[in-house]
Amino acid sequence: MNALSPADLESFVAKTVAEQSIVDMHTHLYPPAFGTPVANGAQALDPAGMMLWGMDELLTYHYLVAEVYRVVPATVLPYEKFWKMSKRQQADHIWKNLFIENSPVSEACRGVITTLSKLGMDCSDRSLNNWRAEEAKQNPSRYVDRVMELAKVESITMTNPVFDDNERARWLNNPDALRDPRFKAVLRIDLLLRDAPTAMTKLAAWDYSVAGDLSETTISEARRFLREWIDRQQAIYLAVSLPPEWRYPAVPGDTIGAAGQTMLDDVILPVCAEYGLAFAMMIGARTRVNRDLRDAGDMGGQADVMSVVNLCRAFPQNRFFVTMLALENQHELAVAARKFGNLMPFGCWWFMNIPSLIEEITTLRLELLGTSFIPQHSDARVLDQLVYKWSHSRAIITTVLQKKYRELAAAGWKIERSEIQRDVRLLLRDNFLNFLQPA
C-alpha cells in the first residue's frame, strides 16, 4: 500500500488539483468561427461576433457594470449615457472607478487582476493602452489555445440559445464551419419552456406546423424542431434557465404555467430520453429587475427544490443537471441528490461564484454526497475569464479537499496517491462526462 504520510498529504492534494485538466461543463464562450467583435490584424471586426475576449470585454463584463454603478450612481452618469459610450470608453470608466480610485477587492475585480497577471502582464503598470497593444498582436484561435492551456481546460462547453436570431442565423448558414473540437454545443431552449405561446409563434414563422392549442400536431412538430437542432448543433445536452417561481407540477401563479409543463412533459423530456441526453436546469434567475442596467440588472431568488424532486421522480429515465442561485437552496438540493441518482448538482452559479460561498457549498456537498457531484463550472462569458475562474476555484477546492483528507486520515484511513488522483479527476472532469453518457 502506497499511503501518504500526513506531511505529504496536503502538498500532494494541491499538486493533483493543480495538474488535473478540466472539462468545463457550462460557459457562454464561443470559438472564432462565430465571429469576434475584437479587431486586430488576424481577424476582421464582426460587430455581431460572439467570441468575446480581451481587456475591454473583461472590464465591461456585466458584473463590473453593475458594480461601477455602486461607485458612480446613475444620478452622476445616467444609464442611457453609459450605453451610448463605446466599449473602450466604458472599459476606461470602469477601470478608473473600480481599479484606480478604489481597490479592486471584489471577486469580479480581483479576477481581472489574476487574469492579467497569469497572462504575463505587469499589473504595476496601470495603463490599459499597453495591455491593449499586447492584445492586438493576438490571433484569436491561438489565443483560445493559450487561455485553455493556462487554465488547464481541455474542453469548453458552450451555451447555444436556439431562439437568439444572431446565433440561429450562423447555425443555419453553415453549421460545419462552426464546429471546433475544443468546443461542445449545448441546445439552450428557454423560450420553449418559459413562454410556449411565443415559442410557437416563432416556430410557425419558421415553417413548423404548430398552433397555440398544443395539439398532437403541435407537440409532434415541436419535437421535430428539437431533433433537428440537436442534430445540427451536435448538442451534448439541453439546458434552460428558470425563475425562482417555477413549479413542477405547475400551480396557479406560476409564471411558466401549464403550457410550459406540457412542453416539458411531452416535448423536451421525451426527446432528451430518445437521444439519451441530460437536461440542465439553472433555477433562480430573476431577469432585468433593473432594466436600465440591461444584462447587469438581473438578480436571484430562492426556488423550490421539491419541484426538482417531483421531476426526478416522474421521469426516472431522464437525467438532470441542476444548479440553483440561492444559498438557501443548496442544502436541500444536496439532500435531494442523495435520493435520486438521476439528479446531478453542479457548480456555484452566478452570484454563488464567490470564494466564501464556493468553499461552503463544496464542503456541504462533499459531506453529503462524497465525490458524486460537479463542484464548479466557469460560466465564463469572456474567454480570458477561464484563467481566473479556474485559478480561484482550484485554490478553494484544494483547501476543502485538504481538510477532508486530513479528517479522513485522522479517523484512521490510509490514503493512497492514486485514490486522490481518482477523486480529483471525478470532481473536475469525469463526473460530468459519465453523467452525460452513463454506462
Side-chain angles (χ1 to χ4, degrees):
M1 194 172 201
N2 187 22
L4 282 159
S5 69
D8 293 335
L9 180 61
E10 292 196 8
S11 61
F12 188 77
V13 171
K15 178 176 182 292
T16 302
V17 175
E19 292 178 351
Q20 175 59 54
S21 65
I22 288 167
V23 175
D24 196 337
M25 72 158 288
H26 172 62
T27 79
H28 297 270
L29 301 178
Y30 293 88
F34 283 80
T36 171
V38 175
N40 58 27
Q43 183 157 327
L45 181 67
D46 176 359
M50 305 181 74
M51 177 190 167
L52 304 182
W53 63 286
M55 171 58 65
D56 292 340
E57 296 293 350
L58 269 177
L59 288 174
T60 56
Y61 179 47
H62 63 79
Y63 277 32
L64 295 173
V65 171
E67 192 173 328
V68 79
Y69 269 98
R70 300 288 304 160
V71 177
V72 183
T75 53
V76 176
L77 178 64
Y79 297 116
E80 62 270 19
K81 184 175 180 180
F82 176 83
W83 294 118
K84 288 178 180 177
M85 294 163 65
S86 69
K87 182 80 70 173
R88 180 155 296 191
Q89 288 171 331
Q90 292 173 357
D92 287 339
H93 171 71
I94 290 170
W95 179 255
K96 173 179 179 286
N97 287 285
L98 295 186
F99 292 80
I100 304 302
E101 296 188 357
N102 289 276
S103 295
V105 295
S106 73
E107 178 65 4
C109 286
R110 181 174 71 106
V112 172
I113 303 304
T114 297
T115 300
L116 293 173
S117 296
K118 289 187 174 294
L119 286 169
M121 304 296 187
D122 179 5
C123 288
S124 65
D125 177 2
R126 298 185 177 184
S127 169
L128 294 183
N129 290 332
N130 291 337
W131 293 337
R132 286 167 174 153
E134 182 65 27
E135 174 186 299
K137 303 173 186 176
Q138 303 297 325
N139 172 279
S141 186
R142 288 198 292 270
Y143 194 64
V144 171
D145 290 334
R146 181 184 179 194
V147 168
M148 291 180 70
E149 183 178 355
L150 276 174
K152 284 192 170 59
V153 170
E154 67 177 78
S155 180
I156 296 171
T157 310
M158 299 182 284
T159 296
N160 305 98
V162 68
F163 291 101
D164 176 83
D165 290 337
N166 181 20
E167 176 158 351
R168 182 174 176 275
R170 294 172 190 269
W171 283 106
L172 289 173
N173 181 46
N174 190 352
D176 290 337
L178 300 181
R179 307 202 196 286
D180 186 313
R182 299 168 294 187
F183 292 78
K184 304 298 181 185
V186 166
L187 180 58
R188 181 76 173 256
I189 53 169
D190 286 25
L191 197 66
L192 196 64
L193 179 53
R194 296 182 63 156
D195 188 355
T198 300
M200 292 305 100
T201 299
K202 286 183 173 288
L203 263 62
W206 298 337
D207 295 326
Y208 292 90
S209 299
V210 300
D213 57 359
L214 299 181
S215 64
E216 288 186 12
T217 299
T218 294
I219 289 170
S220 176
E221 285 289 271
R223 289 181 179 178
R224 179 168 72 89
F225 167 74
L226 285 186
R227 292 187 188 106
E228 289 177 357
W229 278 93
I230 290 170
D231 292 340
R232 181 174 287 116
Q233 293 182 349
Q234 296 180 5
I236 62 172
Y237 65 85
L238 275 66
V240 66
S241 174
L242 295 166
E245 294 81 13
W246 171 73
R247 296 293 183 270
Y248 186 88
V251 297
D254 177 1
T255 56
I256 292 174
Q261 182 174 332
T262 298
M263 282 293 134
L264 191 57
D265 290 352
D266 296 337
V267 178
I268 297 167
L269 294 180
V271 172
C272 283
E274 176 186 336
Y275 276 78
L277 298 179
F279 184 52
M281 298 185 295
M282 296 164 282
I283 310 172
R286 285 198 174 101
T287 59
R288 303 290 176 100
V289 295
N290 182 346
R291 293 184 181 277
D292 292 327
L293 278 172
R294 301 187 183 179
D295 287 346
D298 298 349
M299 65 174 289
Q302 189 169 347
D304 180 58
V305 176
M306 275 308 299
S307 292
V308 175
V309 168
N310 292 339
L311 202 58
C312 290
R313 186 167 50 205
F315 292 89
Q317 74 277 17
N318 286 88
R319 302 185 306 284
F320 301 92
F321 291 115
V322 176
T323 192
M324 291 182 148
L325 200 47
L327 180 61
E328 295 85 352
N329 287 136
Q330 303 305 322
H331 177 258
E332 189 179 1
L333 179 63
V335 172
R338 289 173 59 90
K339 314 306 172 185
F340 294 94
N342 60 339
L343 170 57
M344 175 64 77
F346 75 93
C348 298
W349 178 39
W350 209 342
F351 305 118
M352 297 289 98
N353 190 25
I354 58 175
S356 58
L357 296 186
I358 296 170
E359 182 171 356
E360 178 180 348
I361 294 166
T362 303
T363 301
L364 179 153
R365 288 170 173 169
L366 278 169
E367 290 174 348
L368 280 169
L369 301 173
T371 60
S372 66
F373 66 98
I374 299 166
Q376 193 56 299
H377 62 278
S378 74
D379 202 23
R381 290 180 180 268
V382 181
L383 176 68
D384 314 60
Q385 291 173 338
L386 287 179
V387 175
Y388 93 78
K389 291 204 174 193
W390 281 114
S391 175
H392 292 185
S393 288
R394 281 183 197 265
I396 298 164
I397 293 167
T398 296
T399 298
V400 174
L401 286 175
Q402 286 170 332
K403 180 183 178 183
K404 288 299 154 193
Y405 286 125
R406 282 199 308 269
E407 293 171 347
L408 189 58
W413 190 255
K414 303 300 182 184
I415 304 167
E416 296 192 38
R417 287 173 171 80
S418 61
E419 293 170 337
I420 292 174
Q421 290 169 330
R422 173 203 61 202
D423 294 347
V424 171
R425 185 176 178 87
L426 284 170
L427 291 168
L428 297 184
R429 183 183 187 276
D430 286 355
N431 281 342
F432 170 59
L433 296 178
N434 293 342
F435 199 74
L436 281 180
Q437 297 293 336

